[in-house]
Amino acid sequence: MIFAPKVGILVLFSAGCMIYAVKAADAQDLSPNSVPNLTQPDFPPEKISIADRPHPEYDEVGYRIASYIVKPTISVTETFDSNILGSSSFERSDFFTSVRPTVGIESDWQTNAVSLYAEGNIARYARYTSENVDNFLARGNGRLDIERGQTLTFDAGYQIQHEARYSPESQAAVNQAGGGNYARFPTEYSLSTAQLTYVYSPSRWGF
């Protein structure tokens, strides 16, 4: 089990009984748009949803630099929102442009592993520039193969995100402060995380 209290810095130590073999050297990330999470075990395909299963035929190939694979991407989308404030009495519509650059760096070693990932999420509104946000995420993880069946992994990340000013959390904070129904701007917050994991699995059973 992992206990993750909502504090500025989360240090998560986890240990769980696993019924399937832990193959840390071949571990894959099961979440999309992220660097491979080297702390996750390689679960059988039948226990992974179709949306979360790896699709190597669609994955970007990347560029090799020495013994590393670099995978940069960028996407630009244009969206029209008829109610950017999410209000039933104060509706405002606008177009906004979203730019999402990402870069991932993964080691290509026979033993041990290191990976880094960075992502930006920039939103620019045509009229209501007060809704503009600049979000950022950086993450790195590494795996040390001690010996067969034993691995030590470390995962750390930092992100800057924004809470929409019409979200229930923002409205509750503004109401409590006596500032009205909506915040004047999206609320910026930062979050740091770190996780250290030791895996011992000499056979099909381990911890």
Short mmCIF file of all heavy atoms in Angstrom, two decimals, residues 78-100:
data_model
loop_
_atom_site.label_atom_id
_atom_site.label_comp_id
_atom_site.label_asym_id
_atom_site.label_seq_id
_atom_site.Cartn_x
_atom_site.Cartn_y
_atom_site.Cartn_z
N GLU A 78 -6.58 23.86 -31.14
CA GLU A 78 -7.43 25.04 -31.02
C GLU A 78 -8.81 24.59 -30.56
O GLU A 78 -9.39 23.68 -31.15
CB GLU A 78 -7.52 25.78 -32.35
CG GLU A 78 -8.26 27.10 -32.29
CD GLU A 78 -7.49 28.18 -31.54
OE1 GLU A 78 -6.24 28.04 -31.43
OE2 GLU A 78 -8.11 29.15 -31.09
N THR A 79 -9.33 25.23 -29.53
CA THR A 79 -10.59 24.80 -28.92
C THR A 79 -11.52 25.98 -28.73
O THR A 79 -11.07 27.09 -28.39
CB THR A 79 -10.33 24.15 -27.54
OG1 THR A 79 -9.39 23.10 -27.68
CG2 THR A 79 -11.63 23.60 -26.94
N PHE A 80 -12.81 25.74 -28.95
CA PHE A 80 -13.83 26.74 -28.63
C PHE A 80 -14.62 26.25 -27.43
O PHE A 80 -15.11 25.12 -27.42
CB PHE A 80 -14.78 26.97 -29.80
CG PHE A 80 -15.93 27.87 -29.45
CD1 PHE A 80 -15.75 29.24 -29.34
CD2 PHE A 80 -17.20 27.34 -29.21
CE1 PHE A 80 -16.81 30.07 -29.00
CE2 PHE A 80 -18.26 28.16 -28.87
CZ PHE A 80 -18.07 29.53 -28.77
N ASP A 81 -14.72 27.08 -26.41
CA ASP A 81 -15.45 26.75 -25.19
C ASP A 81 -16.57 27.76 -25.03
O ASP A 81 -16.34 28.98 -24.94
CB ASP A 81 -14.51 26.81 -23.98
CG ASP A 81 -15.14 26.21 -22.73
OD1 ASP A 81 -16.38 26.16 -22.65
OD2 ASP A 81 -14.38 25.80 -21.83
N SER A 82 -17.81 27.28 -25.00
CA SER A 82 -18.97 28.17 -24.91
C SER A 82 -19.20 28.68 -23.49
O SER A 82 -20.00 29.60 -23.29
CB SER A 82 -20.24 27.46 -25.40
OG SER A 82 -20.52 26.34 -24.58
N ASN A 83 -18.51 28.10 -22.51
CA ASN A 83 -18.70 28.52 -21.12
C ASN A 83 -17.39 28.29 -20.36
O ASN A 83 -17.26 27.33 -19.61
CB ASN A 83 -19.85 27.74 -20.48
CG ASN A 83 -20.25 28.29 -19.12
OD1 ASN A 83 -19.68 29.27 -18.64
ND2 ASN A 83 -21.22 27.66 -18.49
N ILE A 84 -16.43 29.16 -20.57
CA ILE A 84 -15.10 28.95 -20.00
C ILE A 84 -15.10 29.03 -18.48
O ILE A 84 -14.20 28.49 -17.83
CB ILE A 84 -14.10 29.97 -20.57
CG1 ILE A 84 -14.51 31.41 -20.21
CG2 ILE A 84 -13.95 29.81 -22.07
CD1 ILE A 84 -13.51 32.45 -20.62
N LEU A 85 -16.10 29.68 -17.89
CA LEU A 85 -16.16 29.80 -16.43
C LEU A 85 -16.97 28.69 -15.79
O LEU A 85 -17.00 28.57 -14.56
CB LEU A 85 -16.75 31.16 -16.03
CG LEU A 85 -15.96 32.40 -16.48
CD1 LEU A 85 -16.67 33.67 -16.02
CD2 LEU A 85 -14.54 32.35 -15.94
N GLY A 86 -17.67 27.90 -16.61
CA GLY A 86 -18.50 26.84 -16.06
C GLY A 86 -19.62 27.36 -15.18
O GLY A 86 -20.00 26.73 -14.20
N SER A 87 -20.15 28.52 -15.53
CA SER A 87 -21.18 29.16 -14.71
C SER A 87 -22.53 29.08 -15.41
O SER A 87 -22.62 29.19 -16.64
CB SER A 87 -20.81 30.62 -14.45
OG SER A 87 -21.86 31.32 -13.83
N SER A 88 -23.61 28.92 -14.64
CA SER A 88 -24.96 28.89 -15.19
C SER A 88 -25.56 30.29 -15.33
O SER A 88 -26.57 30.47 -16.01
CB SER A 88 -25.87 28.05 -14.30
OG SER A 88 -25.89 28.57 -12.97
N SER A 89 -24.93 31.28 -14.70
CA SER A 89 -25.47 32.64 -14.73
C SER A 89 -24.51 33.66 -15.33
O SER A 89 -24.89 34.80 -15.55
CB SER A 89 -25.86 33.07 -13.31
OG SER A 89 -24.74 33.03 -12.45
N PHE A 90 -23.27 33.26 -15.57
CA PHE A 90 -22.26 34.20 -16.06
C PHE A 90 -21.45 33.51 -17.16
O PHE A 90 -20.26 33.29 -17.04
CB PHE A 90 -21.35 34.65 -14.91
CG PHE A 90 -20.46 35.82 -15.26
CD1 PHE A 90 -20.99 37.07 -15.51
CD2 PHE A 90 -19.09 35.65 -15.35
CE1 PHE A 90 -20.16 38.14 -15.83
CE2 PHE A 90 -18.25 36.71 -15.68
CZ PHE A 90 -18.80 37.96 -15.91
N GLU A 91 -22.13 33.16 -18.24
CA GLU A 91 -21.49 32.41 -19.31
C GLU A 91 -20.64 33.33 -20.19
O GLU A 91 -21.07 34.40 -20.58
CB GLU A 91 -22.54 31.71 -20.17
CG GLU A 91 -23.33 30.64 -19.42
CD GLU A 91 -24.29 29.90 -20.33
OE1 GLU A 91 -24.23 30.13 -21.56
OE2 GLU A 91 -25.09 29.09 -19.82
N ARG A 92 -19.44 32.86 -20.47
CA ARG A 92 -18.53 33.57 -21.36
C ARG A 92 -17.88 32.55 -22.29
O ARG A 92 -17.40 31.49 -21.84
CB ARG A 92 -17.45 34.32 -20.57
CG ARG A 92 -17.99 35.50 -19.76
CD ARG A 92 -18.49 36.60 -20.68
NE ARG A 92 -18.95 37.77 -19.93
CZ ARG A 92 -20.19 37.94 -19.51
NH1 ARG A 92 -21.10 36.99 -19.73
NH2 ARG A 92 -20.54 39.04 -18.87
N SER A 93 -17.85 32.86 -23.58
CA SER A 93 -17.27 31.94 -24.56
C SER A 93 -15.96 32.51 -25.10
O SER A 93 -15.75 33.72 -25.10
CB SER A 93 -18.25 31.70 -25.72
OG SER A 93 -18.54 32.92 -26.39
N ASP A 94 -15.09 31.60 -25.55
CA ASP A 94 -13.80 32.05 -26.06
C ASP A 94 -13.11 30.90 -26.78
O ASP A 94 -13.39 29.72 -26.54
CB ASP A 94 -12.92 32.55 -24.93
CG ASP A 94 -11.82 33.50 -25.43
OD1 ASP A 94 -11.72 33.69 -26.65
OD2 ASP A 94 -11.08 34.02 -24.58
N PHE A 95 -12.18 31.27 -27.66
CA PHE A 95 -11.26 30.32 -28.27
C PHE A 95 -9.97 30.32 -27.46
O PHE A 95 -9.55 31.35 -26.96
CB PHE A 95 -10.94 30.71 -29.72
CG PHE A 95 -12.06 30.49 -30.68
CD1 PHE A 95 -13.00 31.49 -30.94
CD2 PHE A 95 -12.18 29.27 -31.34
CE1 PHE A 95 -14.02 31.29 -31.84
CE2 PHE A 95 -13.20 29.06 -32.25
CZ PHE A 95 -14.13 30.07 -32.49
N PHE A 96 -9.36 29.14 -27.33
CA PHE A 96 -8.05 29.11 -26.71
C PHE A 96 -7.15 28.10 -27.41
O PHE A 96 -7.61 27.08 -27.94
CB PHE A 96 -8.13 28.80 -25.21
CG PHE A 96 -8.63 27.43 -24.86
CD1 PHE A 96 -7.75 26.37 -24.67
CD2 PHE A 96 -9.99 27.19 -24.71
CE1 PHE A 96 -8.21 25.11 -24.34
CE2 PHE A 96 -10.46 25.94 -24.38
CZ PHE A 96 -9.57 24.90 -24.19
N THR A 97 -5.87 28.43 -27.44
CA THR A 97 -4.85 27.59 -28.09
C THR A 97 -4.05 26.87 -27.02
O THR A 97 -3.58 27.49 -26.06
CB THR A 97 -3.92 28.44 -28.96
OG1 THR A 97 -4.69 29.19 -29.91
CG2 THR A 97 -2.92 27.56 -29.70
N SER A 98 -3.89 25.57 -27.20
CA SER A 98 -3.10 24.76 -26.26
C SER A 98 -1.86 24.25 -26.97
O SER A 98 -1.94 23.66 -28.05
CB SER A 98 -3.92 23.57 -25.74
OG SER A 98 -5.07 24.02 -25.05
N VAL A 99 -0.71 24.47 -26.36
CA VAL A 99 0.57 23.98 -26.88
C VAL A 99 1.16 23.04 -25.84
O VAL A 99 1.31 23.43 -24.67
CB VAL A 99 1.54 25.14 -27.18
CG1 VAL A 99 2.85 24.60 -27.75
CG2 VAL A 99 0.91 26.13 -28.13
N ARG A 100 1.49 21.83 -26.26
CA ARG A 100 1.99 20.82 -25.32
C ARG A 100 3.29 20.21 -25.85
O ARG A 100 3.28 19.22 -26.57
CB ARG A 100 0.94 19.73 -25.11
CG ARG A 100 1.35 18.67 -24.09
CD ARG A 100 0.18 17.73 -23.81
NE ARG A 100 0.59 16.63 -22.95
CZ ARG A 100 1.03 15.45 -23.39
NH1 ARG A 100 1.10 15.21 -24.69
NH2 ARG A 100 1.40 14.52 -22.54
#
